Amino acid sequence: MSAVFLARLQFAFTIMFHYLFPPLTVGLGVILVIVEWLYLKTGDSLYRETARFWVKIFGLIFALGVATGLVMEFEFGTNWSHYSRFVGDIFGSALAAEGIFAFFLEGGFLAILLFGWDKVSPRIHFLAALLVAAGAHFSAVWIVVANSWQQTPAGYRLIGTGPAQRAQITSFWQVVFNPSSMSRIAHVYMGAWQAGAFLVMSVSAYYLLKNRHVRFAQTSMKIALSVAAVASILQLVTGDSGARVAASLQPAKLAAFEGHFPKSAPAPLYLFGWVNSARETVRGVSIPRGLSLILYGDPNRPVTGLDAFPVNERPPVNLVFQSFHLMVAIGFALIALAFAGLFFWWRGSLFNHPPLLMLYVPSVLLPELANELGWFSAEAGRQPYIVYHLLRTAQGVSPNVSAGEIAASLALFAAVYALLFALFVFLMNEKIQHGPGPEAPEAREPAGRLA
Amino acid sequence: MSYEFLRVVWYALLGILLTGYAVLDGFDLGVGALHLFARGDENRRILLNAIGPVWDGNEVWLVAGGGAMFAAFPEVYAAVFSGFYLVFILLLFGLIFRAAAIEFRGRLPQSWWRRSWDASFSASSILSSFLIGVAFGNVIYGIPLNAAHQFSGSFFSLFSPYPALMGITTVALFAMHGSIFVILKTEGDLHANAREWGRNCLIFFILCYVVLTMATLLYVPHMAAPFRTHPYLFAIPAVGLLFIANIPREIFHGRDFSAFVSSCLAIVFLMGLVGIGLYPCMVYSNPGPQNSLTLFNSASSPATLTVMLIVAAIGIPLVVSYTAGVYWIFRGKVRLDPHSY
């Protein structure tokens, strides 16, 4: 296998593993702010217990997010040194802003959130929750801005030629507000809110089914369900505006999303299907002219298809098609799940529907999967470029790192991450089985454990 | 501001961020190195909780330093990170295992679980300190760079004697720094033990430091050149040595906080020594010094450096003030409570 392929594989593996965690902390951060605010308003100790439990969960997820996130910052340099030279000047200011404003904010106030319960007043603790959540949201901005700049570059000029070519910043604000960054940040935020909210719903539904910690679970469920419903509906809006940006600035990517080949023709909207890239056909169920209709509000307006691009300028169509469609399907499933809950809540019988609760228990997997698929379709859809139309992925790698070295590091990452993941799942389960309340072991646990 | 001035400012700011990292994460890496010397679960929990609220924030200085290097000196970031490929991958695993150990250890009560994480915490702290030192040693000693500023050596060439010596010295320095932090944060028997660790670590560090200094003068003459041309710069190592000498004095008088401040300042002066010795180089090329990366041939554009400087001018005072706030809230001797690790 070539060094380029291995470097891509390693990046995809490490980023997808990393991306299991930050969306959960961003979304959980929002819920923590709501719970702590309710505690401040009402003084009801139930909210305090609720916040304490979710802070513990937050801490565990956050630790894994930090540990796997540092890898990402290093990996730009270790595996993609040419890319780093090319984009360093652009990413510089955004990166500095986020590092200073976001990471320090999170790292500093997390200490108060985790360990400050008895050391600061509830008001300060609420402030810490607010600032940690804000920090989590800020840190998403930088990475999405940088990634969006790779999709739709703006505010730069190219200097030098050949391997010495670099992108140089001409306008900081054009880089930050490049054409796709705002809709993509909103899309990432809503995906994260869904992940956090459905995590809380999953755990709460489990307790309700087991008839344990019922008041705690009911409180958590109501708060999370509200967040989930808002985020799921807004996600439809952000996804739609993202697709329009792609249609105008990255037509090859949009065409791959829908498997649309004709150079310029009204396009159908596939519900599901299978793309044969060689024969340029899609088999599946579609709404005729549906894509033209939702993109432009006009069923007869043509959409640029993949045939408008030479074969070596096209992304891997079927992979992009499948990941995109699965993500969209999950998006609609999440809306259905959230609104089914709202409906029964309105009827006053939310907690009396075991089948719905049973659906909720594994539901956190859906937004997690959708977030991964969304990342995959965005990145694979940009191929063969690492910076759209400016730098090819194959040119971005470190020329002096051999395939053997990458294979070695990839094997190590696979082993270490498998272990980390197993430990994470195991400890999450331990914490969930233990439930909210004091840390002292409960009577039903086996004897012989240390305190 | 002129471009030249901006680049010098960013060289200094990068130095400040890395110094902040060495001073702050230095003590918690050092506590990790000493972790296994503490006996019994409770003592080990006290050590973990001494660094518990702050280690994560301390590590952010590395993230910020790496980010500033990417942003202000992309050529250096690209050359160093791709050149030190496996060293940095190993460092990442060290830091990952460290985070996992701190976070996971207290979550189960069984002794096999806790002992395994104790060993992992200590080993990963020592490994991380060593590799940070090795990377630093290579930057100082010089690595082979070609005309395109790409590393052209091999993985094993990175572990030549000088960088390895720098790695060991870094372990010793952080262990000394960490032991003083433990003295500051503990009481009773553990405090008495920590005073002993502090003495041993100080002796270990001074031995390493003497050997390293001789090796630098003999084998790395370019580091000494600025001091030869500007003899008044010798004040920096001299003051650094005075701070090191002051540490046992403060400990003897029971002024633990002053001892810790002395240790912090000693690290600041040691980093200053490196920064001045290297200037204007950022990565020395050996052989072929003409291929060295300097702050003049590796920096970002004036526009980027200016925007970043504005960001830093607003952000760094904020960061320093609330970091100080967090340290203030968690001041005093460690007390274990239900929220502790």
Side-chain angles (χ1 to χ4, degrees), chain A residues 10 52 56 59-60 62-64 66-68 70-79 81 83-85 87-93 95-97 99-101 103-105 107-112 114-120 124 142 166 168-169 172 398-401 405-406 408-409 412-413 416-417 419-420 423-424 426-427 430-431 439 449-451, chain B residues 10 17 41 45 49 52-54 56-57 59-64 66-68 70-72 74-75 77-79 81-86 88-93 95-97 99-100 103-104 107-111 113-114 117 148-152 155 300-304 307-308 311-312 314-316 318-319 322-323 326 329-330 337-341:
Chain A
Q10 176 169 302
R52 284 190 178 195
K56 280 265 174 192
L60 180 60
F62 188 87
L64 280 151
V66 171
T68 55
L70 190 59
V71 173
M72 305 323 303
E73 195 201 26
F74 274 48
E75 224 173 336
F76 292 126
T78 53
N79 290 81
S81 67
Y83 158 86
S84 299
R85 289 185 168 100
V87 301
D89 198 65
I90 301 287
F91 287 7
S93 351
L95 177 65
I100 293 280
F101 293 127
F103 298 137
F104 277 112
L105 202 63
F109 285 95
L110 184 71
I112 300 175
L114 287 176
F115 304 106
W117 291 105
D118 305 326
K119 292 195 195 288
V120 298
I124 301 285
W142 127 248
R166 307 278 184 266
Q168 202 175 61
I169 198 166
F172 174 67
S398 302
N400 48 344
V401 176
E405 282 177 306
I406 306 174
S409 60
L412 278 170
F413 273 118
V416 171
Y417 279 9
L419 177 67
L420 270 188
L423 287 166
F424 171 72
F426 172 67
L427 288 171
E430 281 288 311
K431 184 65 204 160
E439 288 303 300
R449 292 181 167 190
L450 302 168
Chain B
W10 269 102
L17 287 171
D41 185 58
R45 280 189 68 197
N49 285 288
V54 294
D56 196 28
E59 213 170 277
V60 175
W61 289 79
L62 179 64
V63 177
F70 187 1
E75 293 283 338
Y77 172 79
F81 279 63
S82 66
F84 297 175
Y85 187 75
L86 285 173
F88 277 4
I89 297 285
L90 287 176
L91 173 59
L92 283 173
F93 287 126
L95 294 173
I96 288 173
F97 266 102
E103 194 59 41
F104 292 173
R107 295 206 176 232
L108 284 188
Q110 289 86 345
S111 72
W113 171 270
R114 294 195 168 187
W117 287 117
H149 303 306
Q150 285 159 3
F151 176 66
S152 53
F155 171 62
S300 292
S301 66
T304 292
V307 175
M308 283 170 56
V311 168
I314 301 168
I316 289 180
L318 279 174
V319 169
Y322 61 67
T323 304
V326 169
I329 288 171
F330 293 98
D337 68 33
H339 309 294
S340 301
Y341 280 125

Side-chain angles (χ1 to χ4, degrees), chain B residues 248-262:
Chain B
R249 184 173 150 265
E250 300 289 358
I251 293 179
F252 178 78
H253 290 293
R255 293 188 295 249
D256 299 341
F257 182 71
S258 304
F260 186 66
V261 172
S262 263

Side-chain angles (χ1 to χ4, degrees), chain B residues 168-187:
Chain B
I168 294 167
T169 308
T170 306
V171 174
L173 174 68
F174 287 173
M176 175 193 81
H177 194 44
S179 68
I180 302 166
F181 186 72
V182 176
I183 294 173
L184 181 64
K185 299 295 279 186
T186 56
E187 49 201 348

Side-chain angles (χ1 to χ4, degrees), chain B residues 193-268:
Chain B
N193 288 341
R195 286 173 67 104
E196 228 168 277
W197 304 341
R199 194 194 56 209
N200 294 340
C201 290
L202 189 66
I203 294 169
F204 179 33
F205 169 68
I206 288 173
L207 286 176
C208 290
Y209 184 63
V210 168
V211 177
L212 182 69
T213 304
M214 291 195 294
T216 307
L217 294 175
L218 282 173
Y219 298 110
V220 198
H222 62 266
M223 283 296 285
F227 297 91
R228 264 198 304 275
T229 44
H230 304 283
Y232 59 87
L233 290 174
F234 274 106
I236 288 172
V239 175
L241 278 177
L242 286 178
F243 279 119
I244 294 169
N246 187 42
I247 294 170
R249 184 173 150 265
E250 300 289 358
I251 293 179
F252 178 78
H253 290 293
R255 293 188 295 249
D256 299 341
F257 182 71
S258 304
F260 186 66
V261 172
S262 263
S263 180
C264 293
L265 290 171
I267 295 179
V268 170

Side-chain angles (χ1 to χ4, degrees), chain A residues 286-375:
Chain A
S286 67
I287 304 168
R289 296 171 189 262
L291 185 62
S292 298
L293 188 65
I294 62 161
L295 279 179
Y296 305 115
D298 173 4
N300 297 317
R301 188 151 161 197
V303 176
T304 310
L306 287 159
D307 286 346
F309 307 92
V311 176
N312 70 352
E313 299 270 313
R314 294 181 197 172
V317 186
N318 195 33
L319 268 179
V320 175
F321 180 97
Q322 297 306 339
S323 52
F324 179 76
H325 277 79
L326 196 50
M327 174 190 77
V328 174
I330 291 174
F332 281 101
L334 292 176
I335 293 175
L337 278 174
F339 278 80
L342 281 190
F343 176 74
F344 289 119
W345 186 3
W346 172 62
R347 297 282 299 267
S349 61
L350 173 60
F351 307 118
N352 308 331
H353 288 277
L356 183 66
L357 295 178
M358 274 153 87
L359 277 178
Y360 280 169
V361 171
S363 67
V364 64
L365 299 176
L366 291 177
E368 286 284 86
L369 183 60
N371 282 329
E372 300 286 349
L373 290 166
W375 175 83

